[in-house]
Amino acid sequence: MFQSSTSHAAKQSEDVGEALSRAGTLIADLNTLDQDQNTDTEQLTHNWSLRPVALNDCFLRGAFKSLLEQSAGLPVEQQLVAYDACDSLEVRAPLGFFRKRLDARRNTKPKKANDQLLVCTPFDPNSFNFSKIKNPRERVLKLQLQSGRYEILSNKFPLFANHMLLVAEELGA
């Protein structure tokens, strides 16, 4: 009985040791995510939720700023972000705890299809949807989270500073 308990403890110790030996690799990998990842749209990030929130926030803010700067000199049809939502052209006013905001530049975005009259319109794969990415640079990041795969996409017509889209990949049948 004592020997069995000892071997079980030894096995647990080996498992912990093996996990710790990989921990350094995982932690080192947590710090390698950078703006250059934009160029490799097929790279899947597995450890996003293990990284410090401030590091993820910094990465996303930097990615948005980079997209905004890259888009500044391009023709409208090639821009990934059409404008900075919080620049001098933003019209805003306090509204109690909130603020109301109007940005006339959002009127330049494509209008919704006339056949989409309700919020709960059945999905039509032939109509507009976020899985139809024309430019792979729109994809800021691909994430593998515990709940599934997601993509963070640039938002051409942002509502607020650093506004991006979190889109789930297709759900299984």
Side-chain angles (χ1 to χ4, degrees):
M1 168 98 62
F2 177 74
Q3 196 171 23
S4 172
S5 173
T6 304
S7 65
H8 179 68
K11 173 69 174 139
Q12 282 183 325
S13 178
E14 286 176 22
D15 291 345
V16 169
E18 186 177 329
L20 289 175
S21 71
R22 289 191 311 258
T25 305
L26 183 58
I27 290 169
D29 191 41
L30 293 178
N31 297 317
T32 60
L33 191 60
D34 61 21
Q35 305 309 324
D36 293 335
Q37 185 161 349
N38 274 350
T39 60
D40 183 6
T41 59
E42 296 307 312
Q43 183 175 348
L44 187 62
T45 301
H46 291 270
N47 51 18
W48 184 258
S49 60
L50 300 175
R51 292 165 39 98
V53 172
L55 198 58
N56 290 341
D57 184 59
C58 184
F59 171 80
L60 291 174
R61 288 174 187 271
F64 186 86
K65 182 179 178 186
S66 176
L67 291 172
L68 190 59
E69 289 169 356
Q70 291 170 21
S71 296
L74 297 174
V76 175
E77 62 277 357
Q78 294 178 12
Q79 293 177 342
L80 297 176
V81 180
Y83 52 83
D84 182 353
C86 295
D87 62 10
S88 61
L89 298 176
E90 173 192 28
V91 177
R92 61 181 171 194
L95 185 62
F97 178 74
F98 302 99
R99 70 176 170 143
K100 61 181 176 179
R101 181 178 180 287
L102 175 66
D103 198 323
R105 295 171 291 187
R106 284 191 56 83
N107 281 336
T108 62
K109 73 180 198 162
K111 302 296 180 203
K112 288 184 179 178
N114 289 335
D115 59 343
Q116 185 180 349
L117 301 174
L118 303 171
V119 172
C120 295
T121 302
F123 180 72
D124 179 1
N126 297 319
S127 295
F128 168 80
N129 65 71
F130 289 111
S131 67
K132 293 181 178 180
I133 298 187
K134 295 177 185 172
N135 183 342
R137 289 181 31 236
E138 291 179 49
R139 188 177 294 110
V140 176
L141 188 64
K142 289 179 80 170
L143 299 172
Q144 175 64 55
L145 302 177
Q146 187 175 7
S147 58
R149 288 190 177 182
Y150 296 84
E151 295 180 334
I152 297 178
L153 307 178
S154 62
N155 188 346
K156 186 167 185 170
F157 303 99
L159 291 168
F160 48 84
N162 305 311
H163 184 193
M164 291 183 252
L165 306 167
L166 178 65
V167 179
E169 284 193 2
E170 185 177 342
L171 298 175

